[in-house]
């Protein structure tokens, strides 16, 4: 049984052509599935009956089974979806005054193993399929429309961030068709500027994304130098800052937005000193050995969301403010991310899902000591 959620429009056109159907039939089908949220072929009333029967015999719109849906006091919604074999992934909807954002997962677990990330501590189980990535949006959009009683044609989600569980650029072949369905006018019709891929820095795939499907890019930096970044984001040993910033500059030539968002998770006494803020400014301006040209960017400081196994603490708000001030006084737009949905463990980095770990995480993490800057920070 083919899952039609696995196809972007061109994939669906090819699939329909193999059944002797013209392109416009694929367009109709795509609209039924993604714009109307229909999964029953019999109800796709403008498709010819023989096609509906052929589809029912060979294909399905296979969504994900929600195991749980939690609603936060601030309106944030978190879903836990079963992806089989004991694995589950999480998806979070964050309502704001002017937009609705969906935070989508790309993998069950994550192989990068960042010290401060709950998903990273789980280890890696498997890549999600295109259908499983799209199904998170499909489910959330149509469920929310129903729940919020939105009029026909109105949408609940107009902003997607690939910031849930997993490293999207390590699941590239499934990611790109999913992004295309999000962007397609016959799919969800989202603006390229409002679909963001967040990466820990898979350099070759940043280059490929700029050619295949340029969308907004967020890069998880977290440190101003390679020594610290090697410890916090182990992928840095493979793609150090010089290469990462080079990829960011190349990406900007084709990106839909004229800046990269640098994410920086504020860890008490680890990466949050004023000196490190100045180091970050020098890095961005291209004044260090790791970087020789400025990078157009915004900096988004994320207060660390603690989880028991991390052994790390959130930087006190005053320290975050000082850090933000140093960076913004250097002329770099700097924001501090508001923590949303933390009463339901839906905040950044708290998404744990359920992962049947196939890597020895304890061994891997024990090789990565976190250096605490002596004397820095007062715990909050
Ligand atoms: N793998 C990708 C996308 C998923 S993580 C990436 O790393 O960019 C999305 C964001 O959440 C990243 O910026 C990540 O660094 C941040 N994050 C992870 N754990 C966190 C935590 N415990 N508290 C705050 N932010 C966290
Ligand atoms: Fe993976 Fe991103 Fe978490 Fe790092 S922060 S472990 S890359 S999901």
């Amino acid at each position: 049984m083919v899952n039609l959620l696995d196809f972007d429009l061109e994939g669906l056109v090819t699939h329909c052509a193999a059944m002797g159907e013209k392109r416009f039939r694929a367009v109709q089908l795509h609209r039924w599935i993604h714009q109307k949220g229909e999964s029953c072929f019999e109800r796709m009333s403008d498709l010819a009956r023989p096609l509906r029967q052929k589809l029912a015999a060979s294909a399905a719109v296979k969504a994900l089974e929600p195991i749980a849906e939690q609603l936060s006091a601030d309106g944030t919604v978190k879903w836990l979806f079963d992806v089989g074999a004991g694995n589950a992934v999480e998806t979070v909807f964050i309502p704001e005054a002017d937009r609705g954002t969906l935070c989508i997962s790309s993998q069950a677990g994550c192989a990068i193993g960042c010290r401060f990330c709950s998903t990273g501590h789980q280890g890696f189980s498997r890549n999600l399929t295109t259908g499983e990535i799209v199904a998170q949006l499909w489910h959330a959009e149509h469920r929310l429309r129903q729940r919020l009683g939105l009029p026909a044609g109105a949408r609940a989600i107009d902003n997607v961030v690939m910031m849930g569980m997993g490293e999207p650029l390590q699941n590239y072949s499934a990611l790109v068709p999913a992004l295309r369905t999000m962007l397609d006018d016959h799919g969800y019709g989202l603006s390229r500027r409002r679909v963001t891929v967040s990466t820990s820095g898979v350099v070759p795939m940043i280059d490929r994304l700029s050619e295949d499907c340029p969308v907004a890019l967020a890069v998880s930096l977290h440190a101003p130098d390679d020594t610290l970044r090697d410890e916090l984001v182990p992928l840095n040993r493979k793609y150090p800052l010089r290469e990462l910033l080079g990829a960011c500059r190349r990406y900007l030539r084709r990106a839909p937005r004229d800046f990269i968002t640098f994410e920086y998770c504020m860890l008490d006494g680890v990466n949050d000193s004023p000196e490190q803020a100045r180091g970050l400014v020098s890095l961005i301006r291209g004044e260090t050995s790791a970087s020789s040209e400025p990078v157009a960017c915004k900096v988004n400081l994320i207060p660390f969301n603690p989880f028991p196994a991390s052994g790390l603490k959130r930087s006190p708000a005053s320290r975050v403010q000082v850090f933000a001030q140093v960076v913004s006084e250097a002329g770099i737009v700097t924001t501090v991310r508001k923590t949303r949905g933390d009463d339901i463990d839906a905040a950044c980095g708290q998404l744990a899902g359920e992962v049947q770990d196939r890597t020895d995480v304890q061994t891997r993490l024990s090789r990565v000591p976190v250096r605490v800057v002596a004397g820095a920070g007062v715990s909050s």
Side-chain angles (χ1 to χ4, degrees), residues 110-114 116-121 164-167 200 220 222 233:
C110 182
I112 307 287
C114 299
F116 48 83
C117 173
S118 174
T119 308
H121 276 243
M165 298 168 68
E167 169 48 59
S200 55
S220 296
H222 309 309
V233 185

Side-chain angles (χ1 to χ4, degrees), residues 264-276:
Y264 195 104
C265 179
M266 298 295 287
L267 302 165
D268 185 20
V270 174
N271 65 355
D272 63 348
S273 71
E275 191 194 335
Q276 285 162 320

